[in-house]
Structure formats: C-alpha cells, structure tokens
Amino acid sequence: MIVAVLFVFSIFGAQLLRVQGFDAASTAASALSERTQTEEIPALRGRILDVNGKVLAASLERRQVVADQTAVPEYQKTVGGVRTKVGVPGAVADLAPLLDLSPDTLAPMLTGKARYRILAKNVTPLTWRKISELGIPGIYSERTTSTRSYPQPMDAASLVGFMQASGAPGGGLEVMLDTTLKGKAGHEAVETAPNGRVIPSGRQEVTPAIPGHDVKLSINSDLQWYAQNALAQKVIETQALSGSVVVQSVKTGKLLAVASYPTFDSNNAARAAGRLTNLAFNDVYEPGSTAKVMTAAAALQEGVVTPATPVVVPNTIHRSDRTFHDSHDHPTEYLTFSGVLAQSSNIGTMLAGERVRPQRLESYFRKFGVGSASGMGFPGESAGLFAPYAKWSGSQRYTVMFGQGLSVTAIQAAGVYQTIANNGVRIPPRIVDSVADDQGIFQPAQQAAGVRVVSPAVAQELRRMLEGVVSSEGTAPQAKVAGYRIAGKTGTADRYDARVGGYSGKTASFIGFAPADDPEIVVAVTLQRPVKGYYGGIVAAPVFRDVMTYALQALQIPPTSGKPTKVTLKLDSAPAASDPKVIRDRHGGQGG
C-alpha cells in the first residue's frame, strides 16, 4: 500500500512538475487568455470635404451604455454633505435625463440579477463622460461602430453616397474612396475576474485604431446646393422624369457640382423610394443636337468646311433607307455653316458631316470621350454606347452626326464642351482634389494628362459659332447671362425607353460655357422626358442661365469686357449653282 500510495503521489508530483516547470509559460498564457476580454476599437472613417473644407460626410464616435444589475444597488453619492447610499432609485434619477429615458422605463433595466443589460445605444462621447462622472457602480460603456453623418443629406446624396446598416459603404464616393476612407480597427484587451469585473492591477493592452484619411473634393458645396435646387424646381415644373446638372472647370477638368434629381436623404437611405445612383454618371441617353458640335469640329478640322461656307438646306433629304428632315418644315434655306449650327439643322449638319469619312468621324467622337468612361472609378459609371463605324447601319452613318444612334452620359457630354472651351484639349474629369496623408496634410491628387482633339484655331472658330446659338437668331436666347458672353448648344432628342422597347418622350438639354472669350466654366443641363415643354432651349436653357449666373458670381469671375464677333448666319440670296464652295445635296434627294 505504501508503494501504491508513493506511486500515485509520484504521478501527482510529475504532473505538478510538468505544469509548474516545463509547461509553466503555456499554462500561464492559457489562464491569462481565459481571464482576458478583447474589445475591438472601431476606426473612424475619414471625412469627405468640399473644396473649401466644408464637411460633406463625417464619422461620429458612438458608444452603448451597459449595466451590471448586481452592482447598481451599491451606488453612493453625497447628499446634504453626507455620503449616502442611494442605490437603484438614485441611479434611475441621475441616469434617466442623460439617457433620454423615463424613470419608469429605466428602473426595471437597473433592477435584477443580470450581469449584462444594454441601456442605450448610439450615445455620444460627451453624454458618456457625464454618465461616467456619476461613478455609478456597474455602469460602463462599450465602443460601437461610428455613425456616419451627412450635413447636406439631400443636395449631394447620390454623389457622396451613404453607409449601409452593416457599416459597409452603399454608393457614390463612399464606395469609390472606401480604401482611403475606412482606416484600420484597433483593439483593447483587459484582464477580468470571474465575476466579469476588470482587475485594476491586471494586464491591459490597447492597440489604437488608425483612422481613415480625409478626402477633399473639387466640389463647391454652395454651388452643389444651388444646382440641385434649380434642377429640382425645373423637373417638378415640367413634370420631367429626372434630370442632372454638371458644372466643370474648363482649364482643370475638375467637377465643381454634379446634381441629380430625384434625390434621397443620405442620413436615411434605407427609406429612399427612388434611385440611389447619380444620373450624371449612370444614365445614358441619345444626346441629340448637343452632339452636332463634334461633327462640326471634325468637318472644320478636316478642312472640308469653314464657318462661312454656304450651305443650301432643303426641307428633306434622302439617305440610305430613310428620309431625313429638320425639327420643323421649312422652305429651302440658305445658311452659312455657322447658321447651320446656330439653327440646329439636322440636314445642314449631315451635308457637311458626310464630307468626313466614317472612320475619321468615329475617331473624333472617341477623342472627345464618347464610348469610354471617365476613368475616375465612380461606381456604376457607364461608358455609353457607341458602335465602331464598321458596324453602323446605312442610316446610322448619318444619325450619329446629329446625336442619335449613340448614347452618352452627362459627364461625357460636358467633357465635349470642356474640350472646345479649352482650346481643343480634353482633360478627363476628376472630382478628388487632394487626400490627407498620415500627418493630416492634404496632398494634391494626380491629374490626368490632356488629350489634343482639335487645333486651337478650330476650337476658337467653334466658340464663335456657338455664341450664335445664344443670339436672337439661335435656338437658345434664354441661356444669356447679363454681362457675359455665352456659348453653347441646345439638344432635343427622342428618348429611348428600354421598358417600352422603343422611343418614349424627349431628352431636353443645353450645354454651354462662359465667358465665351476666355472660358472658365462649363454647365451641362439634361432633363429626361419633360411633359410641360420639351425643347432644350425652353426647359434646359433657363436652368443653365441660373446655375451659370450663380457659378460666375460664386467663383468671382469678372464680366466680359468686349463684344462678341459678329457671325453671319444667313445668306442674303441663293448662292450660284456653279459655286464649288457651296455645300448642297448633290444626290438630288436620292441615295447617299
């Protein structure tokens, strides 16, 4: 028996030696692990700012307040100069106002044997500091994911985006810039007793969270607000389906405002009834006559016309398997090529455009940015629809010249006019102005290189021609801005609706820039399926005028000093039939 007892004790001794000697480190580590509670410290998401530093999106730290019901009855505080035990009733009286709860609601939450009871969520750090200063036993807080706040929730919702309930970005720049904004979570590890309370002298390790980087946009929040409201009023007034406004800097390509309507409240995106996307990036449409400027640019650059070239414009012409006409019946007109653009003649544009080979015409359109996305990476941005010339149908060879048979986004359409205003150099649009580094210092974002599309001389000729559109003889006198020379183009196109499998309603637009003699700003206005009026010069041009007027004043661009160069739009008489410089329908209305 002695041998047996010694044998058993030897086993115990060997086990004790193994635990306290050979495996001491791992055993201690295992025990420490069981006593340690780890809490994640969420990283604050970087802010999104406008060009002047105004906050468009910011993360606010939030906590949830928790109670250990078994400890609350020990609450003591000084009453009348005497330290008194006030227990649960005293805790209810002190906590209820801070948690915005009635005493009747809070009292049951603090009474009982539960070691963990959530009292309130989304509590601000300031409120928690006031609660903590009370010193109520068993009342503590936990970090929760931060709340995203949008100070301009309706004006820039589809542009800035929103955050989902899961904490993931839900659209717009929140998605596009997620890698930069999201930061890296930290953690806090504390050693606790079996009853769950923190051991004061125990192990405490904190790995701080690394906040995301702030991003400063090129967007001017005041201009964004104005453009959004001007657009909303016109959409409602004309009973349009939707609309967009793009404001872009001519010389830098920076986007100054990108309005889209209908909109939603980015602070409550879950209740949004409409589309959550930004139409300027996502909605594709046939541009109509605003695309004629690309045909004109190609014809001028190829040297097949000049602004003063006479053009004989009949009422109709026949090409391929179709008969083409202008927006209204008219007798044979005798215009200059400048007049063709000012009066937005489909036939005149076709007669000039067919002098440019199809492959060359396509190449100009693509250099203007048609058929390709901007490269910004905005979520859901469309590249539009533009088939290679080899796949054009017989009639499409001609319809693309006046903006049908291809589709663009409002961002692409604005870029065409930015190119002309910028002496023929297209600068890809961008919306990020600068990004904060690890020290919080903003570093300028890289700018894409410009692309030469047409020569400065051709761009200057086009600017003069586009000023004629805003004249009393053009299609958009309502686009005039007092004190400034304005250049631009109207567009009224049949609107394709995939839901009905054909054309339904119109797309009305006006795109222009100012000052025409030294362009600084491009404004592109698009309305989809307006009911009360649908011509671009009637419904879109007034929005252009209002937004452009505000932009010129907000950006402190001085008024124009000189007067526009007089451009001849109409001929006094029919040109001679033998004049080789005259553009006329030499097919006699047949073929093409």
Side-chain angles (χ1 to χ4, degrees):
M1 291 179 62
I2 293 174
V3 171
V5 170
L6 290 175
F7 177 74
V8 171
F9 275 104
S10 67
I11 293 176
F12 290 161
Q15 183 69 2
L16 186 62
L17 178 63
R18 182 185 68 81
V19 171
Q20 294 187 349
F22 300 112
D23 295 340
S26 61
T27 302
S30 177
L32 180 61
S33 176
E34 292 179 1
R35 297 194 306 271
T36 301
Q37 292 185 1
T38 302
E39 178 185 350
E40 183 180 274
I41 303 174
L44 282 179
R45 194 170 176 83
R47 297 177 301 166
I48 299 178
L49 311 172
D50 88 332
V51 69
N52 296 314
K54 291 184 179 179
V55 177
L56 299 178
S59 290
L60 306 176
E61 182 184 343
R62 291 292 182 264
R63 306 182 75 91
Q64 66 180 12
V65 178
V66 179
D68 177 352
Q69 295 176 342
T70 63
V72 177
E74 302 301 318
Y75 180 33
Q76 297 181 11
K77 69 177 185 178
T78 301
V79 179
V82 179
R83 193 69 177 170
T84 307
K85 188 178 193 179
V86 294
V88 172
V92 169
D94 291 343
L95 279 178
L98 295 174
L99 296 178
D100 196 23
L101 294 172
S102 68
D104 291 342
T105 301
L106 183 59
M109 301 171 72
L110 296 178
T111 305
K113 300 297 181 181
R115 305 299 302 274
Y116 184 88
R117 176 70 185 270
I118 296 175
L119 303 181
K121 297 181 179 180
N122 293 324
V123 174
T124 66
L126 177 60
T127 298
W128 167 243
R129 281 197 294 271
K130 293 179 180 179
I131 294 172
S132 179
E133 289 169 357
L134 295 173
I136 302 174
I139 301 298
Y140 57 98
S141 75
E142 297 175 335
R143 294 182 180 90
T144 60
T145 55
S146 58
T147 298
R148 198 67 163 164
S149 174
Y150 301 93
Q152 294 184 226
M154 304 293 287
D155 304 332
S158 60
L159 179 65
V160 174
F162 60 96
M163 298 299 289
Q164 302 180 64
S166 64
L173 296 173
E174 292 281 21
V175 170
M176 173 178 154
L177 303 171
D178 185 48
T179 301
T180 302
L181 294 170
K182 66 181 180 182
K184 184 179 180 181
H187 67 270
E188 179 179 12
V190 294
E191 194 173 350
T192 59
N195 61 5
R197 296 183 181 180
V198 176
I199 299 174
S201 60
R203 171 196 177 210
Q204 292 188 355
E205 290 184 2
V206 177
T207 302
I210 301 174
H213 296 278
D214 292 345
V215 176
K216 185 178 289 186
L217 307 179
S218 58
I219 296 294
N220 181 304
S221 62
D222 293 337
L223 181 55
Q224 176 75 25
W225 171 85
Y226 190 90
Q228 184 71 36
N229 283 275
L231 173 66
Q233 290 176 14
K234 184 58 70 172
V235 169
I236 294 170
E237 175 190 324
T238 61
Q239 297 180 5
L241 180 68
S242 60
S244 65
V245 173
V246 177
V247 184
Q248 186 176 18
S249 168
V250 168
K251 297 174 181 176
T252 66
K254 294 179 180 180
L255 297 173
L256 308 180
V258 186
S260 176
Y261 190 86
T263 186
F264 62 95
D265 184 348
S266 50
N267 285 320
N268 195 3
R271 295 188 178 181
R275 298 172 63 176
L276 301 177
T277 56
N278 190 288
L279 299 176
F281 291 93
N282 306 116
D283 194 28
V284 296
Y285 59 92
E286 296 188 356
S289 295
T290 55
K292 290 175 181 174
V293 71
M294 291 187 287
T295 303
L300 290 169
Q301 190 65 49
E302 293 293 300
V304 299
V305 295
T306 69
T309 298
V311 183
V312 178
V313 182
N315 187 40
T316 63
I317 61 173
H318 190 80
R319 294 290 185 272
S320 184
D321 57 349
R322 286 182 56 182
T323 297
F324 294 90
H325 54 81
D326 286 328
S327 60
H328 59 281
D329 288 332
H330 59 77
T332 298
E333 295 180 327
Y334 306 105
L335 308 174
T336 63
F337 188 53
S338 294
V340 166
L341 196 61
Q343 296 193 11
S344 198
S345 169
N346 293 345
I347 293 175
T349 303
M350 289 169 56
L351 291 173
E354 66 184 356
R355 294 189 169 198
V356 181
R357 299 193 313 276
Q359 58 268 43
R360 292 293 295 162
L361 188 65
E362 180 199 345
S363 70
Y364 279 105
F365 276 49
R366 295 200 183 279
K367 284 192 288 185
F368 271 113
V370 176
S372 59
S374 67
M376 283 189 292
F378 193 87
E381 181 182 1
S382 174
L385 301 170
F386 187 47
Y389 80 92
K391 294 185 178 181
W392 291 352
S393 66
S395 60
Q396 193 177 11
R397 157 79 169 105
Y398 300 94
T399 60
V400 296
M401 297 178 189
F402 55 83
Q404 301 262 191
L406 76 160
S407 294
V408 300
T409 64
I411 292 291
Q412 291 172 329
V416 172
Y417 287 76
Q418 177 276 326
T419 303
I420 295 165
N422 194 41
N423 285 323
V425 176
R426 180 174 69 86
I427 300 178
R430 63 187 178 114
I431 199 168
V432 176
D433 181 78
S434 55
V435 178
D437 58 19
D438 292 339
Q439 286 72 45
I441 300 173
F442 283 96
Q443 303 297 333
Q446 185 175 2
Q447 181 173 343
V451 178
R452 169 67 64 185
V453 180
V454 295
S455 68
V458 167
Q460 187 175 17
E461 289 176 335
L462 280 167
R463 291 201 296 271
R464 286 198 294 263
M465 293 168 67
L466 289 171
E467 284 192 78
V469 176
V470 188
S471 71
S472 57
E473 298 177 87
T475 58
Q478 294 190 54
K480 290 181 179 179
V481 175
Y484 293 87
R485 287 169 56 180
I486 304 296
K489 185 74 186 72
T490 56
T492 306
D494 292 328
R495 178 181 176 274
Y496 185 83
D497 190 337
R499 292 176 297 178
V500 301
Y503 288 102
S504 174
K506 301 287 185 180
T507 296
S509 58
F510 184 89
I511 311 175
F513 47 84
D517 52 324
D518 185 16
E520 294 283 351
I521 304 170
V522 171
V523 175
V525 180
T526 307
L527 295 173
Q528 298 293 350
R529 209 181 68 190
V531 175
K532 294 186 175 181
Y534 59 80
Y535 286 110
I538 296 175
V539 298
V543 180
F544 166 89
R545 178 196 62 225
D546 293 344
V547 174
M548 180 61 83
T549 300
Y550 185 91
L552 290 167
Q553 294 173 354
L555 301 178
Q556 299 182 353
I557 297 173
T560 302
S561 56
K563 294 182 178 181
T565 304
K566 179 66 176 177
V567 178
T568 302
L569 305 180
K570 296 181 179 180
L571 303 177
D572 295 331
S573 59
S578 59
D579 188 344
K581 296 181 180 179
V582 177
I583 296 178
R584 62 178 80 244
D585 182 12
R586 300 190 181 279
H587 300 293
Q590 305 297 319

